[in-house]
Amino acid sequence: MREQERFNAMMEDGIALRRHMASAMFPLVLRAVGLCEAALRGGGKLFFCGNGGSAADAQHLATELLVRLRSRVARPSWPAIALTLDPTALTAGGNDYGFEDVFARPLSGRGRQGDVLFGITTSGRSPNVIKALQVARGMGIGTIGFLGGDGGSAASLCDVALIVPSSETARVQEAHITLGHAILELLEDRLIRT
């Protein structure tokens, strides 16, 4: 395939996924916004975790809440934690408990009932994200999944499972950040109205 055709195919795949999200995911997005709104209004926190590019997305979305999402909106900083940020905790957890527990262990110490965890996994099968979702469930922490493919075993652990129907990692990651921005903008709109 020539490069122009390949590039066009990438763009068309991304457009098709966005059309799917626009037509099928709005009720799920609203449920996710509602969970986040209840957590923040109740004094809770939003947690994010994922591996590789999804770790970068976790940090990106947490920062949007901590610092600023839209430059024209003046608002306070909101409590958001990317469980991917602390290399000391990640390496200690991996060494002492195993890589499967690198998100679950700190979540169990920092999380509280009424918080929300975003688990981000393009396959829906990342063992450490699944373990964090399990721990969250056991603690009464709301769970939102940014998932890909068929959602994998992570889907059943999510109060809201936003499944991007693609196995192409790059397209799934692009869709996840789009969904994340949409959820955070709608959340910001709700929280600054009152």
Side-chain angles (χ1 to χ4, degrees):
M1 183 181 287
R2 292 190 352 249
E3 288 180 340
Q4 179 69 54
E5 292 169 346
R6 179 72 184 113
F7 174 76
N8 289 347
M10 285 186 269
M11 296 302 106
E12 291 301 323
D13 286 349
I15 290 166
L17 286 172
R18 283 179 181 228
R19 284 193 178 119
H20 167 77
M21 291 186 299
S23 66
M25 291 191 179
F26 183 65
L28 293 171
V29 165
L30 284 186
R31 284 184 53 208
V33 172
L35 277 176
C36 295
E37 179 183 15
L40 293 178
R41 288 193 189 279
K45 300 171 292 302
L46 305 184
F47 291 92
F48 298 82
C49 68
N51 298 291
S54 298
D57 289 345
Q59 292 170 206
H60 177 154
L61 295 170
T63 299
E64 302 284 27
L65 293 163
L66 284 169
V67 180
R68 181 166 60 186
L69 176 64
R70 296 178 283 183
S71 60
R72 70 180 187 280
V73 176
R75 61 153 174 89
S77 176
W78 291 323
I81 299 169
L83 295 171
T84 56
L85 281 174
D86 185 345
T88 305
L90 289 171
T91 56
N95 185 64
D96 294 355
Y97 292 94
F99 190 66
E100 190 172 299
D101 287 303
V102 295
F103 302 135
R105 183 76 176 160
L107 179 67
S108 69
R110 294 177 176 168
R112 298 290 176 264
Q113 184 173 355
D115 291 340
V116 171
L117 171 68
F118 283 80
I120 309 171
T121 164
T122 59
S123 68
R125 292 171 174 74
S126 300
N128 54 6
V129 174
I130 289 169
K131 184 78 177 274
L133 291 167
Q134 291 169 335
V135 165
R137 276 275 173 96
M139 294 176 67
I141 294 172
T143 54
I144 298 170
F146 284 175
L147 313 172
D150 63 3
S153 53
S156 65
L157 297 168
C158 297
D159 297 313
V160 181
L162 294 155
I163 303 169
V164 177
S166 174
S167 59
E168 188 69 39
T169 299
R171 301 297 84 77
V172 175
Q173 288 174 333
E174 293 160 6
H176 284 171
I177 205 66
T178 298
L179 287 167
H181 280 157
I183 289 168
L184 297 186
E185 282 191 36
L186 293 169
L187 174 64
E188 188 175 76
D189 289 345
R190 284 190 186 184
L191 292 172
I192 63 175
R193 269 189 293 202
T194 56

